[in-house]
Amino acid sequence: MLKTKDPTVYKLIKEEEKRQREVLEMIPSENYASKEILEALGTVLNNKYSEGYPKKRYYQGNKVVDEIEILAEERAKKLFKVPYVNVQALSGSVMNLAVYTALLEPLKGKIMGLSLAFGGHLTHGQPQSATGKFFKSCLYALGKDGKFDFDEIEQLALKEKPDIIVCGFTAYPGIIDFKRFADIAEKTGAYLLADVSHIAGLIVAGVHPSPVPYADIVTTTTHKTLRGPRGALIMVTDKGLRKDPELPKKIDSAIIPGLQGGPHDNQTAAIAVCLKEASTPGFKRYGVQIVKNSKELAGELTKYGFKLIGGGSDNHLILIDLTNKRVNGAVAAFALEVAGIVVNKNAVPYDKMPPFYPSGIRLGTPAITTRGMKEEEMVKIAGWINDVISEASSYRLPEDKVGRKEMFKGIKSSLQKNKKLLAIAKEIKIFTARYPVP
Ligand code: DSN
């Protein structure tokens, strides 16, 4: 038993369990996986090496693992309606890197993705990421209204001639027009990669359109709105297969031997469980409620004068520009955590502040919806958020770099002792006790 053999680690895990129970987890990329998924993760499948693919492994002893991997593949194909899937990518970064490795020549091939500063992802060709170091990249932005300016994106694509255009975002509160991205990709001869990590669960639930009719390749992590274990799926669509029938082979080889060794078989089993859960009517109801909650929360926050990027939320997340509230995003995120509301600081479009001290926060409803919260609870949560931000507005962080780090330290230590925030944390602890975590 872990409890007796390594009480130190056991105690830390218990502390984290308690933390997850007693706060409002509102980072939109996080969720609570079911007990069954966690059970599959903690099994003897951890002990096996399975380099290769089902029925084509390098090592012996993979009869059972083959069955598990085939099951995960079949469930993913059925759920997302695609002809091919690879379930081995260990997580999101390697998932996208595998696609680029499969399709592009190093230092020559070009990726075009949304800039991280506008809600893209590191792995969509950011220069700080291997995807922007090992391949060429060009980045597009959002318009001043926080929406896509497709004419500008098309102009950029025509000028830059990327080999892959990436759509699918981490801080975009709207519905993605996959068809429009596909039109641009077709016009410029690029592959269209839809990274739907954030919205996979919404797609499955039918509350966000699927990219499958439009994209050549669809990638997704499995632990966000899909509510599974950490892991990833790389899918080729019928359209992608028509364009290049070798795509599956290229992607399989990019994963192994290209980027990984043995897959994590316990993770593959847990992905299979997650895909079964995601195919139930209960999961559809869950997806519907995520969006209802996000819209309700966005509406309530707007009433309090919060400026929401894109004007609201049509999916699972909300991006708030706190400039009008005169609170820095880093200060806001810290104050909210002291009060028991966990969100992340986030850049807003055309942010004048640097990434460590951005002007906004990003929050979402996937995890709190898993706990059974509905519109009524969102009204209450918006009130708490407003109270915390009002309280935090007396802690000013200088826009100027000089002395900012030291000042932030001081602000944090003062926020940690703030009586009003600590009182809200107590209320939230009592409130969250009514909503079980799996
Ligand atoms: N870290 C994830 C997110 O929060 O959106 C993306 O990888």
Side-chain angles (χ1 to χ4, degrees), residues 27-30 91-93 116 120-123 169-171 195 197-198 221 223-224 230 316-317 344 346 362:
I27 293 174
S29 49
E30 294 186 4
S91 207
S93 299
L116 184 63
H121 190 255
L122 275 171
T123 64
F169 315 104
T170 64
D195 174 354
S197 295
H198 263 259
T221 50
H223 47 275
K224 298 186 175 92
R230 305 195 87 84
H316 63 302
L317 72 80
N344 64 274
N346 214 97
R362 185 187 70 153

Side-chain angles (χ1 to χ4, degrees), residues 378-392:
M378 299 306 120
V379 176
K380 210 163 171 42
I381 292 170
W384 276 320
I385 292 174
N386 184 49
D387 291 345
V388 174
I389 301 300
S390 304
E391 190 63 17

